[in-house]
Amino acid sequence: MVKALGDKPRAVWVMLPAGEITEKTVEVLGGLLAPDDIIIDGGNSFYKDDIRRTKKMAETRIRYIDCGTSGGVWGIERGYCLMIGGAKEAVDYLDPIFAALAPGLGVIPRTPGRQKAASQAERGYIHAGPSGAGHFVKMVHNGIEYGLMQAYAEGFDILRNKDSKDLPEDELFNLNMPDIAEVWRRGSVISSWLLDLGAAALVKDPQLKEFSGYVQDSGEGRWTVEAAIEEAVPADVLSTALYARFRSRQEHNFAEKMLSAMRFGFGGHIEGQESIDPEPKPNESEVHAATKKPEE
């Protein structure tokens, strides 16, 4: 594959799950590429791994770019929101690729105060900073996603249980869940793409019977909470949303089914077909031992 690439500097985009498979792929590519070539990790790698890999690749003058990619299975139609980390000259060289993958201005109204020529951010991609910054921004993005989804899920669970036999008879409401989701899409302050996905799921199956409510996590939510701890930043909502996913593996209610439905909607995530826990990160001593030179 590397030999088949055109003129140098060459660029290889890696799009694999975070962990060992990405680690090994980057290592193999590092042995095949030449100075000034570029490796782009477009998956969801842990940002500290990006910093380490950048230093390792720099030993042979290979450039490493981390690119947080959001858009799920719909990105092929809508374009992908890209959060990029790495050296500016390499990011600038790759700009045509990022611009082609990003959604562009589209029909979203411009933010007041941005009257100048459309920036990269307005077109759906940014150079967030040095190595690791792209995946760090995407990591926090996914942590926020956990919180948003949990809020929707809990809200719909409250609505659904308003006909509970434990309530007074004159306070019982048999609410139309699909219609509530639909009306919230129309002019509501809580309208969003996640709500769109939830509304579509409820129209198809108001009871969400095809979902068990078993909700997995791919790692970014955990890493976001870890970052919050390192920075001493309170993250009550994001932490609770993560713990709710842990709880879903022991008991399942309508909120968990709603979460599963939204995850399937944006990412095609199928219950029971992902690992329960993300691959653990190596601790600092293990990383040092693995990269230690023989003479050391």
Side-chain angles (χ1 to χ4, degrees):
M1 180 194 74
V2 172
K3 290 181 179 179
L5 295 176
D7 297 335
K8 297 180 181 179
R10 300 163 294 184
V12 179
W13 188 299
V14 178
M15 201 75 180
L16 294 168
E20 185 178 2
I21 188 170
T22 294
E23 193 74 42
K24 288 184 175 179
T25 301
V26 170
E27 182 180 347
V28 169
L29 287 171
L32 297 173
L33 295 171
D36 293 329
D37 286 342
I38 305 170
I39 297 173
I40 310 160
D41 179 2
N44 280 328
S45 288
F46 185 50
Y47 77 99
K48 292 184 180 181
D49 290 338
D50 295 317
I51 296 171
R52 172 176 53 79
R53 290 173 191 151
T54 297
K55 293 176 180 177
K56 179 65 176 176
M57 292 298 107
E59 295 175 4
T60 52
R61 292 175 48 206
I62 293 172
R63 296 175 288 179
Y64 179 94
I65 299 296
D66 56 284
C67 181
T69 308
S70 180
V73 295
W74 296 96
I76 193 169
E77 298 178 9
R78 297 160 51 105
Y80 298 93
C81 174
L82 304 174
M83 296 140 272
I84 308 154
K88 184 178 185 303
E89 58 271 19
V91 174
D92 288 347
Y93 175 77
L94 297 168
D95 187 79
I97 296 175
F98 298 135
L101 290 171
L105 274 171
V107 297
I108 299 174
R110 298 189 71 183
T111 301
R114 284 186 176 269
Q115 279 76 29
K116 298 180 180 180
S119 65
Q120 289 180 340
E122 287 183 288
R123 286 181 280 144
Y125 66 107
I126 60 167
H127 180 200
S131 177
H135 278 151
F136 183 81
V137 173
K138 176 57 162 54
M139 176 189 79
V140 177
H141 161 286
N142 283 26
I144 292 171
E145 179 186 293
Y146 280 33
L148 290 171
M149 292 173 66
Q150 188 64 32
Y152 282 126
E154 291 178 6
F156 278 100
D157 205 15
I158 294 169
L159 293 170
R160 180 178 181 271
N161 284 285
K162 189 54 178 163
D163 62 354
S164 170
K165 60 181 178 58
D166 297 324
L167 295 174
E169 187 174 353
D170 60 352
E171 294 180 14
L172 296 177
F173 303 151
N174 185 12
L175 300 172
N176 187 313
M177 308 287 280
D179 278 0
I180 292 172
E182 187 61 32
V183 77
W184 283 353
R185 297 181 61 225
R186 313 285 174 172
S188 164
V189 297
I190 62 168
S191 59
S192 74
W193 185 44
L194 288 173
L195 180 60
D196 294 347
L197 297 172
L202 288 169
V203 166
K204 181 180 178 182
D205 176 14
Q207 300 301 319
L208 301 181
K209 293 178 181 177
E210 64 179 286
F211 298 99
S212 70
Y214 186 107
V215 186
Q216 288 138 322
D217 70 290
S218 54
E220 296 90 339
R222 299 184 188 209
W223 299 339
T224 301
V225 172
E226 288 178 10
I229 293 170
E230 291 174 355
E231 299 169 19
V233 173
D236 302 32
V237 171
L238 306 190
S239 300
T240 302
L242 176 63
Y243 297 151
R245 294 194 175 199
F246 297 162
R247 186 199 65 223
S248 78
R249 299 163 195 171
Q250 300 172 341
E251 56 181 282
H252 310 311
N253 56 28
F254 194 80
E256 271 97 39
K257 292 184 178 183
M258 192 69 183
L259 281 174
S260 287
M262 285 187 284
R263 289 189 84 235
F264 178 77
F266 71 73
H269 301 286
I270 300 174
E271 294 176 333
Q273 293 191 16
E274 299 173 277
S275 59
I276 296 177
D277 298 319
E279 186 172 291
K281 304 186 303 294
N283 59 44
E284 295 297 328
S285 61
E286 290 174 339
V287 170
H288 180 72
T291 58
K292 191 175 181 181
K293 296 179 179 179
E295 61 270 19
E296 292 179 338

